[in-house]
Amino acid sequence: SKGKYAERIGAGAPVYLAAVLEYLTAEVLELSGNAARDNKKSRIIPRHVQLAVRNDEELNQLLSGVTIAQGGVLPNIHNQLLPKKTGRPKNADGAPSSQSQES
């Protein structure tokens, strides 16, 4: 045999493989269904699968090299791109603040 594969495998190996695939499928479907429900939809679309996978640390790691067609990206705006908070101190009008009261 050319590849680095075993000549034979144990009788339990295909059963184990099926169980692993079933578990992963159930996990993705569960999280995708939650994402669909969060978006008030009754059907799972690729966007829901993408949100489910990318928001789960372990699934994201497993599928890090995978592109989900029609999945889009996670909503994310870098903090440095957000507008500056101007006029934030509410005590700028001269009213005494609760923190610093000098008498």
Side-chain angles (χ1 to χ4, degrees):
S1 68
K2 262 188 177 173
K4 298 203 187 241
Y5 304 110
E7 290 293 328
R8 312 181 72 205
I9 58 168
V15 179
Y16 199 108
L17 176 62
V20 169
L21 291 175
E22 184 186 356
Y23 169 73
L24 287 172
T25 304
E27 190 74 17
V28 169
L29 276 174
E30 166 80 21
L31 296 170
S32 301
N34 293 345
R37 195 170 5 89
D38 293 344
N39 288 298
K40 299 179 179 65
K41 298 276 191 291
S42 58
R43 284 192 201 136
I44 295 172
I45 61 174
R47 174 67 176 161
H48 301 142
V49 178
Q50 173 80 322
L51 291 172
V53 167
R54 300 307 165 201
N55 281 315
D56 184 273
E57 200 179 311
E58 292 179 333
L59 279 176
N60 187 34
Q61 187 181 353
L62 180 69
L63 302 178
S64 59
V66 173
T67 302
I68 296 174
Q70 291 291 303
V73 296
L74 285 185
N76 182 28
I77 302 175
H78 201 282
N79 286 333
Q80 287 180 313
L81 295 173
L82 292 171
K84 298 275 187 294
K85 297 238 187 339
T86 54
R88 209 55 207 105
K90 291 210 162 96
N91 301 324
D93 59 346
S97 68
S98 58
Q99 265 82 21
S100 60
Q101 289 185 337
E102 290 95 34
S103 38

